[in-house]
């Protein structure tokens, strides 16, 4: 499933990823991300914004689990 988020909200994205477990999402102005097993996969680009979003969303997913 592919979903587009118009605003970057890590907690909202974390809930989406945790619920679906596998798929892709787009953040407007940032780019496309993939996720599997309830975690965002490491992007294959060397864009610092992508890497910070990857880390921040995975931290938000971890806090949802506790």
């Amino acid at each position: 499933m592919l979903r587009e988020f118009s605003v970057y909200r890590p907690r909202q994205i974390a809930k989406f990823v945790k619920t679906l477990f596998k798929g892709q999402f787009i953040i407007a102005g940032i780019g496309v991300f993939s996720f599997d097993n309830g975690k965002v996969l490491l992007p294959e680009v060397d864009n610092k914004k992508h890497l910070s979003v990857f880390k921040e969303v995975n931290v938000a997913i971890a806090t949802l689990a506790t």
Side-chain angles (χ1 to χ4, degrees), residues 13-59:
I13 296 169
K15 287 180 182 179
F16 173 75
V17 170
K18 189 96 169 141
T19 302
L20 290 182
F21 260 35
K22 187 171 185 160
Q24 290 184 321
F25 62 90
I26 300 171
I27 302 172
I30 299 176
V32 179
F33 294 86
S34 298
F35 59 95
D36 193 11
N37 291 326
K39 296 218 182 231
V40 178
L41 301 175
L42 184 64
E44 294 184 13
V45 294
D46 291 333
N47 185 339
K48 290 189 184 237
K49 184 67 176 173
H50 274 233
L51 294 175
S52 74
V53 168
F54 155 76
K55 182 178 177 182
E56 194 169 355
V57 172
N58 278 335
V59 167

